[in-house]
């Protein structure tokens, strides 16, 4: 009898071990709560009775249990799965027929109703090719103190730069700053490289010049003194502004002046406009006399949109292998050796290199327009890993084994899996820092390296 009991215990232990192995194939990353933009409208949906959770994933066939007991029906969206979970959900059990089961514990206690959350549900296997699911976008903005919203997440910049690590695909953004015209647009992230968006906001501030009939008369705009006799204000927002002119004799006059965007206006007061303000200020009824209305001399930001001069639904493509004796594969078929050049119709293509019995990882090419595309493929190897390199300093040089790979934040691809490599960050004014990392097989590893000033 004791032999039977021992066998049963062994089976239970083996079952638990197998579940853990499957669970390692799934991971929940980059959990966040969406916040309402400051003084703006909410751009995401909420449910009054439930917590809303978006899982970004390309896989299908998942089932979910709230607190491992309440079934939750997933709602399919564009590149994500949306769940309406009960208030105060602490755990979410994720089941998949191929990748097994994962029990995910909610960070920061539990999920709340009337709140919207997002996370990346990453699925990977050591036996399958890993495809990048997230990528960096870096904003470089003038003026330097702008506010950036991406997917309803707000970041206030102080040095003109902001970085986001987001799922692949399309994301809306908005950038604004006081006295500048806001910019709203969207961008798309793909596997090839991080995206850098450079924006110079167009000024929308205005100026007001006020002339009084006496040199000693004090001039105030919105309660702030700007000078006497004749004076020009500092930067003003478009709208109505209170202009006051006060003389030592007790005479005073007050008007409201309307300014448009990027406008310079000259308002002239005459002696008959003034009276003694014994109980109230008398507002002049005479129309403002405009001496000049000058358009802003500030630079105007123009958006250049490439225009296709052809209606053909194809693009010229040049594909280069690392060496002349390495074969080039397009959708698993050999199309050339060393280099191939030709036209490809619009669509998605899987590119690889092959030599002897070795093949490279897949490089995905997306042809969506007529512009010429050049692709450099990787050397055939047994397995690859990727490094997602971040730092407290933006645009630090990233060197891997003394070869420059880009600037922080960035993703370094095609590193031999299981082989230690040296990662070095360099930037003027900061101490150089190096770390030794072993890239994982067919997966990506997150690395954060902090730099200190010299």
């Amino acid at each position: 009898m004791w032999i039977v009991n021992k066998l049963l215990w062994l089976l239970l232990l083996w079952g638990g071990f197998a579940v853990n192995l499957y669970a390692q194939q799934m991971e929940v990353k980059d959990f966040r709560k969406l916040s309402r933009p400051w003084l703006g409208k909410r751009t995401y949906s909420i449910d009054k009775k439930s917590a809303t959770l978006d899982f970004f994933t390309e896989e299908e066939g998942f089932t979910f249990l709230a607190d491992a007991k309440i079934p939750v029906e997933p709602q399919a969206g564009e590149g994500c799965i949306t769940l309406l979970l009960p208030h105060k959900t602490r755990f979410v059990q994720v089941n998949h027929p191929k990748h097994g089961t994962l029990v995910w514990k909610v960070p920061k206690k539990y999920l709340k109703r009337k709140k919207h959350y997002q996370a990346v549900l990453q699925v990977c296997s050591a036996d399958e090719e890993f495809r990048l699911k997230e990528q960096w976008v870096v904003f470089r903005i003038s003026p330097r103190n702008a506010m950036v919203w991406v997917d309803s997440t707000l970041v206030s910049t102080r040095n003109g730069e902001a970085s986001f690590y987001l799922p692949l695909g399309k994301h809306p953004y908005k950038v604004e700053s006081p006295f500048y015209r806001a910019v709203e647009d969207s961008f798309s992230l793909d596997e090839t490289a991080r995206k850098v968006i450079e924006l110079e906001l167009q000024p929308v501030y205005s100026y007001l010049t006020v002339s009084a009939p006496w040199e000693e008369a004090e001039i105030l705009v919105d309660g702030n003194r700007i000078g006497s006799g004749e004076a020009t204000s500092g930067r003003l927002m478009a709208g109505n502004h209170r202009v006051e002119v006060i003389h030592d004799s007790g005479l005073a006059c007050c008007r409201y002046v309307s300014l448009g965007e990027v406008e310079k206006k000259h308002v002239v007061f005459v002696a008959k406009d003034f009276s003694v303000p014994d109980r109230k200020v008398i507002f002049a009824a005479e129309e403002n006399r405009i001496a000049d209305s000058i358009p802003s001399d500030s630079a105007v930001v123009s958006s250049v949109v490439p225009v296709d001069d052809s209606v053909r639904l194809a693009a010229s493509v040049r594909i280069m292998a690392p060496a002349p004796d390495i074969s080039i594969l397009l959708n698993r078929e050999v199309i050339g050796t060393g280099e191939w050049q030709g036209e490809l119709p619009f669509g998605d293509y899987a590119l690889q290199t092959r030599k002897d019995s070795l093949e490279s990882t897949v490089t995905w090419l997306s042809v969506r327009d007529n512009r010429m595309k050049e692709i450099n493929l990787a050397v055939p190897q047994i397995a690859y890993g990727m490094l997602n390199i971040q730092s407290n300093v933006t645009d630090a040089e990233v060197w891997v084994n003394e070869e420059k790979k880009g600037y922080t934040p960035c993703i370094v691809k095609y590193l031999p899996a299981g082989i230690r490599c040296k990662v070095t960050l360099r930037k003027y004014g900061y101490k150089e820092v190096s770390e030794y990392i072993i890239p994982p097989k067919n997966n990506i590893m997150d690395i954060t390296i902090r730099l200190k000033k010299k």
Side-chain angles (χ1 to χ4, degrees):
M1 186 67 182
W2 66 274
I3 296 177
V4 175
N5 290 335
K6 190 172 182 180
L7 289 172
L8 289 174
W9 276 107
L10 288 174
L11 288 172
L12 288 172
L13 288 173
W14 171 250
F17 179 69
V19 169
N20 286 333
L21 284 178
Y22 278 118
Q24 291 175 3
Q25 297 182 10
M26 294 189 290
E27 182 183 4
V28 177
K29 301 173 59 178
D30 302 328
F31 173 77
R32 60 174 180 164
K33 182 179 73 172
L34 299 185
S35 57
R36 183 174 180 175
W38 182 64
L39 296 180
K41 295 182 179 180
R42 185 173 57 243
T43 58
Y44 52 86
S45 62
I46 61 171
D47 189 277
K48 293 183 178 180
K49 297 182 179 179
S50 306
T52 305
L53 174 62
D54 294 333
F55 273 136
F56 289 96
T57 181
E58 295 180 357
E59 292 284 334
E60 297 178 350
F62 293 100
T63 59
F64 301 90
L65 295 175
D67 291 327
K69 59 183 179 181
I70 304 174
V72 179
E73 186 68 25
Q75 302 174 14
E78 185 176 351
C80 72
I81 298 172
T82 301
L83 306 177
L84 294 180
L85 299 164
H87 179 54
K88 294 188 176 181
T89 295
R90 298 175 182 272
F91 297 89
V92 178
Q93 181 175 317
V94 185
N95 303 306
H96 193 274
K98 179 180 178 181
H99 301 289
T101 299
L102 170 70
V103 178
W104 173 61
K105 185 181 182 301
V106 176
K108 298 182 180 179
K109 206 171 181 180
Y110 53 76
L111 302 178
K112 299 180 181 179
R113 65 172 177 261
K114 297 194 291 186
K115 301 294 182 183
H116 198 125
Y117 305 87
Q118 290 182 342
V120 175
L121 178 55
Q122 181 172 301
V123 177
C124 60
S125 173
D127 300 326
E128 296 181 3
E129 178 66 32
F130 177 80
R131 290 192 62 182
L132 198 64
K133 296 180 176 62
E134 297 166 286
Q135 185 58 272
W136 283 101
V137 58
V138 178
F139 286 86
R140 297 194 181 113
I141 304 166
S142 176
R144 297 166 65 88
N145 62 340
M147 293 179 290
V148 185
W149 284 273
V150 177
D151 295 338
S152 302
T153 298
L154 170 65
V155 172
S156 297
T157 65
R158 289 293 177 267
N159 59 356
E161 294 183 345
S163 303
F164 299 83
Y165 189 51
L166 301 169
L168 301 182
K170 192 173 183 179
H171 300 271
Y173 72 87
K174 180 180 180 181
V175 180
E176 63 180 33
S177 181
F179 301 106
Y180 291 84
R181 183 173 286 113
V183 173
E184 291 189 67
D185 205 342
S186 62
F187 59 88
S188 295
L189 295 177
D190 55 33
E191 297 180 346
T192 54
R194 72 172 187 172
K195 191 173 190 67
V196 178
I197 299 176
E198 296 186 353
L199 295 172
E200 185 174 351
L201 303 186
Q202 180 181 352
V204 293
Y205 45 78
S206 303
Y207 293 97
L208 183 62
T209 299
V210 181
S211 296
W214 308 286
E215 291 186 0
E216 64 274 15
E218 296 289 320
I219 302 172
L220 294 85
V221 175
D222 296 331
N224 299 313
R225 183 183 182 277
I226 64 169
S228 59
E230 180 174 299
T232 300
S233 68
R235 297 176 178 179
L236 297 175
M237 294 288 288
N240 293 324
H241 296 273
R242 180 185 174 100
V243 180
E244 297 173 271
V245 179
I246 302 174
H247 191 259
D248 291 341
S249 63
L251 295 174
C253 184
C254 178
R255 291 180 183 172
Y256 280 96
V257 178
S258 178
L259 285 177
E261 287 187 353
V262 197
E263 182 181 8
K264 293 181 178 180
K265 182 173 285 188
H266 190 177
V267 179
V268 179
F269 287 81
V270 295
K272 67 178 183 178
D273 296 332
F274 291 80
S275 61
V276 179
D278 51 343
R279 291 185 301 272
K280 63 180 180 178
V281 177
I282 301 176
F283 295 91
E286 180 182 320
E287 293 290 331
N288 300 332
R289 183 159 63 89
I290 310 302
D292 60 346
S293 181
I294 307 171
S296 171
D297 55 359
S298 58
V300 177
V301 180
S302 62
S303 300
V304 179
V305 180
V307 179
D308 293 335
D309 57 359
S310 173
V311 295
R312 59 192 176 89
L313 300 179
S316 298
V317 178
R318 184 186 179 196
I319 304 172
M320 291 163 286
D325 59 342
I326 295 179
S327 300
I328 299 173
L329 282 70
L330 176 70
N331 294 341
R332 302 296 301 166
E333 294 185 5
V334 178
I335 60 171
T337 302
E339 180 178 330
W340 179 88
Q341 187 165 349
E343 284 197 349
L344 292 177
F346 285 9
D348 297 316
Y349 301 90
L351 304 177
Q352 291 175 276
T353 57
R354 178 190 291 165
K355 184 176 181 181
D356 300 329
S357 60
L358 298 181
E359 291 186 358
S360 72
T361 187
V362 174
T363 297
W364 291 94
L365 171 63
S366 181
V367 180
R368 293 286 185 269
D369 52 53
N370 301 111
R371 289 176 293 182
M372 173 72 178
K373 294 170 175 57
E374 291 190 357
I375 306 294
N376 292 291
L377 299 181
V379 178
Q381 293 187 22
I382 297 175
Y384 293 93
M386 300 184 191
L387 298 180
N388 178 18
I389 302 174
Q390 311 169 49
S391 177
N392 59 316
V393 178
T394 304
D395 283 337
E397 294 181 354
V398 178
W399 295 74
V400 178
N401 295 333
E402 299 307 321
E403 181 180 352
K404 189 176 178 181
K405 295 293 186 180
Y407 299 87
T408 56
C410 72
I411 296 174
V412 181
K413 306 178 185 178
Y414 310 129
L415 297 173
I419 300 177
R420 191 176 73 160
C421 62
K422 181 182 178 182
V423 179
T424 304
L425 296 191
R426 297 169 181 159
K427 187 168 185 178
Y428 179 78
Y430 292 83
K431 296 180 180 178
E432 179 180 304
V433 177
S434 297
E435 290 189 10
Y436 288 91
I437 308 294
I438 299 178
K441 180 181 178 181
N442 294 333
N443 208 336
I444 188 169
M445 177 183 291
D446 296 329
I447 301 170
T448 301
I449 300 176
R450 297 190 63 82
L451 297 182
K452 294 182 179 180
K453 291 187 176 181
K454 292 182 179 179

